[in-house]
Amino acid sequence: MSSAERRTLVGQPVVRKEDPDILRGEARYTFDVELPEMLHVAVYRSPAAHARIRRVDLSRALELPGVVAGLTGEQVRQLGYVNPLSPFPFQSRDPFRRGNPTIKFFDHYCLAWDKVRFVGEPVAAVAAVDRYVAEDALDLVEVDLEPLPPVVDSAAAMEPQAERLYEDWDDNVMLTFRVSGGDVDAAFRQADVVVREEIHSGRFTGTPIETRAVAASYDAGVKTLSVWTTTQIGHAIGTLIENTIALPDLKVHVMFRRIGGGYGQKWAFYPEEILLPLLSILTHRPVKWVETRREHMTGTIHAREQTHHIEAAVRRDGAILGVKDRIVANIGAAYPTGGLASIVTTGMFVPGAYRIENYQGEVLGVVTNKTPYGAHRGFGKSEACFVIERLVDRIAARLDMEPVEVRRRNFIPPDAFPYRSVTGPRYDSGRYREALDKALELLDYDHWRKEQAELAARGRYVGIGTCLVIEPSSSTRMGSYNAGYYSVRMRMDPNGRVYVFPSGSDDGQGHATSISQLVGDELQVSFHDVMVVEGDSLACPYGSGSYSSRFSVVGTTAVTLAARTLREKATRIASVMLRHPPGGLEFSGGGVRVEGRPDRAVSLSEIARTAYFYPFQLPEGMDPGLEVLYHFRDPNIEFEADERGRVAMFSSFPYDAEAAVVEVEPDTGLLKIRKFVSVHDCGNMLNPLIVRGQHVGALAHGFGGALYEELPYTEDGQPMAASFKDYFLPTAMEIPELVLGHMETPNPFTPGGFKGAGETGAVGPPAVLANAVEDALRPLGVAVRRLPLTPQYLWSLIREARGADPGAAGQGDAACPTR
Amino acid sequence: MSAKRKVAVTVNGRPHQGEAEPRMLLVDYIRDVIGLKGVRYGCDTSNCGSCTVVMDGRSAKSCTFLAVQADGRELTTIEGLAAEGRLHPLQAAFQEAHALQCGFCTSGMVMSAHALLARNPDPSRDEIRRGIIGNLCRCTGYLPVVEAVEAAARARKAGGEGGTP
């Protein structure tokens, strides 16, 4: 590379090339797929949480004019070529090949056939000429269910006499995982103080504004099944479809070109991805299903519901000597979603940002009659962060220390990186103390401590909370659909345009812009001459999709190194064309020239034409064309789990230090955020505009989960949040003004130095706001142990605390608080 | 199925005649009868606002109107903002501020913002937040949208230009 090259794109806040189409209303989603003779499909879903299926009768539905076909679970099993849903993401019963985790499986089909196990589970489907008729037909579907006792609470599900969801299992525990390191017993013997807590992370999810949709068209003439689906993992879905629909010679083509938000909710294998192809095969017509929001609230994964029984062995100076955590996750029914991987991840990241060298974690995934648990932004580390950050504050309260001091005492110091965590992961780089100090400075911590004291004297409850979020990104796990590499194909065509075929999915992260920045700089081509084609399982090389914020780490690296490979070949071709050694050539203005000699240049198009149309002029042994298939293996990964369950599944460790000032109104429990600071370090930034957008969007998800969003169930297993009228995702009024800082501690393992950027923000708000609330209510001795921090919950904490003190002004009855 | 009724609307300045069953939602009519696919929906309860269009000068959730209720009215959809290949200043402001990511809510968000600026050309940040309270977004966290609308309002004030709703 010479000094004439100008690298003007990477690192700059380039506005996105994706936007004009979207802004003009020309973007097309799976929602918009239209094919001749297409039928619309509606799905009958279980109204009961747990029941035996006695009868499913579609005869009246099929008589309705406009209804063309229907399908039941029993009919699916009788087809003869349909297997149970193939497991995901682990595709073996012993993924780490150590007997740990242990996992039980069940043969679910795309429609329930023996029992229904959650409200919203697909039971039958009808296909009709339009969506209105299809929905009319649902009213005519007759299903007889014999109710069974619902199992809703995970503790109840683990009782010996509990009703079993899966009668072949000897209990309701689907997954058990144990991970340990160091000598936790010794740590507890040496402790000056032991702090024990029971902390709950509540059930919520991410609800992209695009609900799921699947369209399918089977062309029997060429045995090709075309499937459009709102998925983050199109290649995996293609393989899963092949595993499940066992038709000989079947070619499967999955299209996932534009997704309206994923956040992990579209990282799963859903039954509709088999149901729709089957309906197309049976009707010989294209078919489409678009999820209603009501369907989405029960038929698309939930997340976050875990209870931790955690103990910390602590020295009197605040050092955490060891931690034991027993984690029970309420995972709903046993469908192939990202949930198992998510809860295993929690077990590994309870130590968080702290140098905890003795640890024992046990994770139990308990099935219940709820919607299946899957991936949501933060993926298990969010639950871990909430718990460890709460625990640190509880330790501080116990030792009468400032929470900030306990954090500083225990942070992994900068010179310890790369740091091997007690549970196996290798944290790449970080400056945690510096980030927290910066957040406190931006918050104006000293000023707010003074304010807090003054306001407390006037009977107001103002509190300050802090947290340090680590958000391991770019995950990989052995024997799964995310096996630690990123593939990309890159082609310079005869016109010098560069086509890039990444193996992820674009759910709004701006891949086309990011890739164009990277390729534009590497090959010195115009940003607008880079053509990104993403989301086509046949055009794009086999890969694992988009999840875990991995594109920044492995996607960008694969793109960069593929471009350098093309560049190297183009240079050698140019060398022949210009009759000049390759060493003295430079890329400039869409071509290659002898250094400093614009009169001795060839354009990229001329180089490409030589490669494609005059291959006999190429150097000896060089293949024609200018196209490369490149695989980049995720660095900093340890694939093999050891006998203690330790394995390094994440390669990069972005983080963010958050600090917040809140005020709690004691009579109503209303929380007001007075100030919110986040100092985010995601390594180098490829595009600061996109990074900021990802971080603010993630924080919004965090605020939702911290304050408003919950998915409660009745004792009968009926979901109480079944629409946006009862599920309170934030509007523009709920997101506070944010004070954002950033640091850049590069990823030491990749040329670009980028780390994942899109999830960190979703993890922190529950922890920092819970810490701030507890700080605000410290005069009342309140402990915050669950989410969300609704007015009802805070009010009940205040009431309990006041009720325990007969002298305190109360709200009415002074009932004894229960613990 | 009920007999279809005639529906005559003006869409983005042009007259359109069609027919709809009484129960057909306006959003489906715009997409499937008029053929404009920029509008869409993401909920069943009038919460998400992805279906927002401008009807007789005011923002309207087209999922909560029946097609027959639009008879005789003027509609503006997202396709009606850009003129001959150039983005409307509000759309350009959205791009500059990175006020969209996946884009699914964007048509509705832009139309709400457009209607807001038509009735309040110089809104405060709080008024902007209130103005888009009916539009849910899960990608942006809303602050970039607020910034985009502020920038569009400033540009309009400075340049004296603006589109008509």
Side-chain angles (χ1 to χ4, degrees):
Chain A
M1 188 209 314
S2 79
S3 55
E5 286 197 16
R6 294 179 338 105
R7 304 216 148 196
T8 58
L9 294 167
V10 173
Q12 297 305 312
V14 177
V15 296
R16 301 193 328 169
K17 54 171 31 176
E18 296 87 325
D19 291 355
D21 287 346
I22 298 173
L23 289 163
R24 275 194 285 261
E26 288 162 17
R28 297 291 175 256
Y29 301 82
T30 309
F31 191 105
D32 298 302
V33 167
E34 260 168 32
L35 295 158
E37 308 275 290
M38 190 169 77
L39 298 172
H40 288 259
V41 173
V43 179
Y44 181 92
R45 294 174 186 276
S46 174
H50 199 195
R52 221 170 285 285
I53 300 175
R54 286 296 174 217
R55 182 179 75 103
V56 181
D57 187 343
L58 301 185
S59 48
R60 285 181 60 220
L62 290 169
E63 282 165 14
L64 186 70
V67 175
V68 169
L71 198 56
T72 68
E74 211 33 66
Q75 289 170 338
V76 168
R77 293 196 343 131
Q78 282 163 17
L79 285 172
Y81 54 84
V82 184
N83 292 325
L85 297 179
S86 190
F88 172 88
F90 297 124
Q91 35 119 17
S92 87
R93 283 160 197 264
D94 187 10
F96 295 171
R97 293 194 259 210
R98 287 275 183 184
N100 176 34
T102 57
I103 308 178
K104 300 183 179 84
F105 288 88
F106 177 76
D107 289 342
H108 278 291
Y109 286 79
C110 64
L111 292 172
W113 56 277
D114 62 332
K115 286 163 73 168
V116 290
R117 295 178 175 84
F118 65 98
V119 172
E121 186 174 12
V123 174
V126 290
V129 294
D130 69 35
R131 194 168 169 174
Y132 288 70
V133 174
E135 289 196 10
D136 287 343
L138 284 186
D139 291 341
L140 301 171
V141 172
E142 292 173 1
V143 175
D144 287 346
L145 299 174
E146 182 190 295
L148 293 168
V151 181
V152 177
D153 173 69
S154 52
M158 290 197 296
E159 299 280 322
Q161 306 313 317
E163 187 79 16
R164 273 172 290 135
L165 264 76
Y166 300 102
E167 280 136 32
D168 288 346
W169 297 5
D170 50 21
D171 59 26
N172 284 320
V173 179
M174 181 178 185
L175 173 141
T176 307
F177 176 64
R178 296 192 171 87
V179 58
S180 64
D183 185 345
V184 88
D185 293 330
F188 276 79
R189 282 195 299 272
Q190 290 163 25
D192 294 320
V193 160
V194 172
V195 177
R196 290 189 182 83
E197 285 293 336
E198 182 183 316
I199 300 175
H200 304 273
S201 172
R203 181 175 269 245
F204 66 96
T205 185
T207 69
I209 303 303
E210 176 196 50
T211 58
R212 292 189 297 117
V214 181
S217 181
Y218 178 61
D219 183 334
V222 290
K223 294 252 179 28
T224 299
L225 174 67
S226 302
V227 182
W228 294 258
T229 176
T230 51
T231 187
Q232 297 170 225
I233 48 167
H235 294 93
I237 296 298
T239 302
L240 291 162
I241 292 174
E242 282 177 21
N243 294 347
T244 309
I245 302 180
L247 284 174
D249 311 331
L250 183 69
K251 294 191 268 287
V252 178
H253 184 192
V254 181
M255 278 152 286
F256 50 115
R257 293 288 296 265
R258 188 189 292 276
I259 311 299
Y263 329 118
Q265 282 85 80
K266 294 169 182 168
W267 189 76
F269 179 36
Y270 282 106
E272 296 86 355
E273 286 160 334
I274 297 301
L275 176 62
L276 275 284
L278 285 180
L279 283 167
S280 184
I281 289 167
L282 293 168
T283 60
H284 307 286
R285 287 170 73 162
V287 292
K288 183 170 78 172
W289 163 79
V290 176
E291 191 184 41
T292 65
R293 182 57 64 178
R294 190 184 175 84
E295 285 183 290
H296 180 90
M297 296 309 294
T298 53
T300 292
I301 62 92
H302 295 175
R304 303 289 206 256
E305 185 174 6
Q306 296 181 4
T307 299
H308 290 237
H309 288 92
I310 188 166
E311 308 178 56
V314 183
R315 206 164 60 200
R316 76 180 82 256
D317 68 349
I320 301 171
L321 302 176
V323 169
K324 285 194 264 199
D325 194 1
R326 184 164 184 269
I327 302 162
V328 176
N330 185 321
I331 64 172
Y335 272 79
T337 67
L340 300 183
S342 183
I343 66 180
V344 164
T345 301
T346 301
M348 291 184 183
F349 287 104
V350 169
Y354 306 105
R355 187 151 60 172
I356 294 170
E357 285 167 351
N358 304 292
Y359 174 75
Q360 182 184 100
E362 183 190 35
V363 181
L364 299 174
V366 180
V367 294
T368 63
N369 295 120
K370 289 188 178 183
T371 295
Y373 188 124
H376 176 42
R377 209 164 190 175
F379 196 73
K381 302 151 253 137
S382 27
E383 297 89 315
C385 175
F386 180 67
V387 171
I388 190 65
E389 292 298 312
R390 285 270 59 238
L391 185 68
V392 164
D393 268 40
R394 298 299 298 151
I395 289 170
R398 182 74 174 270
L399 297 177
D400 201 25
M401 284 175 71
E402 281 276 358
V404 168
E405 277 319 303
V406 178
R407 289 189 162 80
R408 286 180 177 143
R409 181 67 42 102
N410 288 285
F411 277 151
I412 300 164
D415 57 14
F417 291 95
Y419 172 78
R420 188 92 207 262
S421 161
V422 62
T423 55
R426 295 201 287 245
Y427 293 29
D428 55 2
S429 64
R431 289 179 281 157
Y432 302 151
R433 184 176 171 140
E434 189 179 329
L436 183 60
D437 287 347
K438 192 159 177 178
L440 295 175
E441 193 190 304
L442 288 170
L443 187 79
D444 203 355
Y445 182 76
D446 294 334
H447 158 81
W448 279 103
R449 276 286 183 226
K450 285 205 203 82
E451 271 292 294
Q452 178 185 38
E454 280 168 22
L455 290 167
R458 290 192 261 144
R460 285 170 64 180
Y461 295 91
V462 170
I464 302 174
T466 56
C467 78
L468 199 304
V469 174
I470 58 148
E471 209 334 273
S473 65
S474 196
S475 74
T476 194
R477 43 195 71 81
M478 204 166 79
S480 75
Y481 287 93
N482 33 296
Y485 59 89
Y486 194 100
S487 354
V488 65
R489 196 155 55 79
M490 192 173 295
R491 172 197 301 161
M492 182 176 294
D493 80 356
N495 293 318
R497 281 199 198 138
V498 184
Y499 279 77
V500 184
F501 302 88
S503 56
S505 69
D506 190 335
D507 321 323
Q509 315 93 313
H511 288 168
T513 293
S514 304
I515 290 171
S516 301
Q517 289 174 258
L518 290 164
V519 175
D521 274 1
E522 285 297 329
L523 295 176
Q524 296 287 291
V525 295
S526 160
F527 177 74
H528 296 287
D529 283 339
V530 182
M531 313 291 162
V532 179
V533 177
E534 187 166 25
D536 182 316
S537 74
L538 294 186
C540 301
Y542 198 93
S544 20
S546 286
Y547 53 89
S548 195
S549 311
R550 65 196 292 261
F551 177 74
S552 294
V553 182
V554 289
T556 58
T557 306
V559 167
T560 300
L561 297 179
R564 288 185 190 170
T565 308
L566 273 189
R567 183 188 163 113
E568 201 265 334
K569 185 168 181 178
T571 305
R572 288 201 290 143
I573 298 171
S575 168
V576 166
M577 295 170 75
L578 292 169
R579 293 186 233 275
H580 193 285
L585 298 177
E586 65 188 8
F587 274 67
S588 176
V592 181
R593 67 186 187 196
V594 175
E595 269 180 31
R597 297 287 306 272
D599 58 311
R600 290 192 63 197
V602 282
S603 69
L604 289 176
S605 171
E606 287 169 320
I607 295 170
R609 277 160 199 274
T610 302
Y612 288 105
F613 306 144
Y614 301 90
F616 55 90
Q617 291 182 348
L618 296 174
E620 182 72 38
M622 182 185 274
D623 281 340
L626 261 184
E627 182 162 350
V628 62
L629 170 62
Y630 197 96
H631 297 89
F632 178 68
R633 288 195 186 203
D634 208 329
N636 197 32
I637 294 290
E638 193 69 64
F639 276 100
E640 302 274 359
D642 71 7
E643 72 292 341
R644 298 187 73 173
R646 291 177 299 193
V647 65
M649 300 195 309
F650 292 81
S651 74
S652 104
F653 293 74
Y655 56 97
D656 115 273
E658 293 178 11
V661 181
V662 305
E663 179 161 4
V664 181
E665 257 181 48
D667 296 341
T668 58
L670 270 174
L671 177 82
K672 191 168 157 187
I673 298 176
R674 303 286 302 267
K675 192 165 183 181
F676 194 97
V677 172
S678 162
V679 174
H680 183 212
D681 188 336
C682 59
N684 293 343
M685 293 192 283
L686 197 164
N687 184 325
L689 198 60
I690 289 180
V691 169
R692 179 183 182 257
Q694 287 291 308
H695 194 57
V696 172
L699 285 167
H701 262 128
F703 287 117
L707 302 176
Y708 309 108
E709 295 179 48
E710 51 181 338
L711 293 164
Y713 280 73
T714 67
E715 283 173 0
D716 298 332
Q718 290 294 321
M720 293 163 69
S723 76
F724 282 170
K725 291 231 176 293
D726 11 66
Y727 187 75
F728 306 124
L729 56 155
T731 70
M733 295 296 290
E734 276 77 51
I735 306 303
E737 293 298 330
L738 302 172
V739 176
L740 301 177
H742 80 271
M743 287 168 46
E744 291 182 54
T745 311
N747 181 334
F749 295 103
T750 64
F754 318 118
K755 301 188 185 186
E759 288 176 85
T760 316
V763 176
V768 69
L769 292 174
N771 288 347
V773 164
E774 195 170 287
D775 189 61
L777 298 178
R778 204 175 298 286
L780 297 175
V782 147
V784 176
R785 296 192 173 95
R786 62 190 326 121
L787 293 168
L789 308 170
T790 58
Q792 297 94 303
Y793 176 51
L794 300 190
W795 181 79
S796 73
L797 286 176
I798 293 166
R799 201 172 79 139
E800 264 183 37
R802 282 175 167 170
D805 172 8
Q811 280 307 301
D813 67 293
C816 282
T818 53
R819 282 280 177 265
Chain B
M1 274 188 251
S2 303
K4 292 189 175 178
R5 310 255 193 93
K6 289 207 188 324
V7 178
V9 295
T10 306
V11 186
N12 301 329
R14 292 210 174 92
H16 183 278
Q17 323 271 359
E19 1 176 82
E21 276 183 49
R23 68 173 180 167
M24 187 181 211
L25 302 177
L26 179 58
V27 60
D28 288 330
Y29 187 82
I30 293 171
R31 288 178 55 88
D32 299 336
V33 179
I34 301 177
L36 294 170
K37 306 288 185 183
V39 70
R40 57 189 66 88
Y41 47 92
C43 78
D44 337 308
T45 49
S46 287
N47 288 97
C48 80
S50 298
C51 65
T52 307
V53 296
V54 171
M55 185 151 74
D56 287 348
R58 297 179 59 189
S59 61
K61 290 187 171 174
S62 62
C63 73
T64 317
F65 278 89
L66 301 174
V68 294
Q69 289 177 285
D71 186 42
R73 303 205 194 211
E74 282 191 22
L75 296 177
T76 311
T77 69
I78 188 76
E79 293 89 345
L81 283 196
E84 294 309 315
R86 280 185 52 229
L87 291 180
H88 183 283
L90 178 60
Q91 291 167 316
F94 265 65
Q95 183 184 26
E96 290 292 324
H98 189 37
L100 60 150
Q101 290 181 29
C102 83
F104 200 82
C105 77
T106 302
S107 301
M109 189 70 80
V110 169
M111 296 317 287
S112 278
H114 183 61
L116 165 68
L117 288 176
R119 68 173 187 272
N120 182 356
D122 194 11
S124 67
R125 267 175 98 85
D126 200 56
E127 285 170 328
I128 296 172
R129 285 166 179 273
R130 238 167 256 285
I132 57 170
I133 196 178
N135 293 82
L136 298 176
C137 173
R138 278 298 224 180
C139 287
T140 66
Y142 304 104
L143 296 186
V145 176
V146 173
E147 287 155 11
V149 178
E150 276 186 316
R154 267 196 311 268
R156 186 195 268 189
K157 215 157 77 165
E161 97 116 274
T164 47

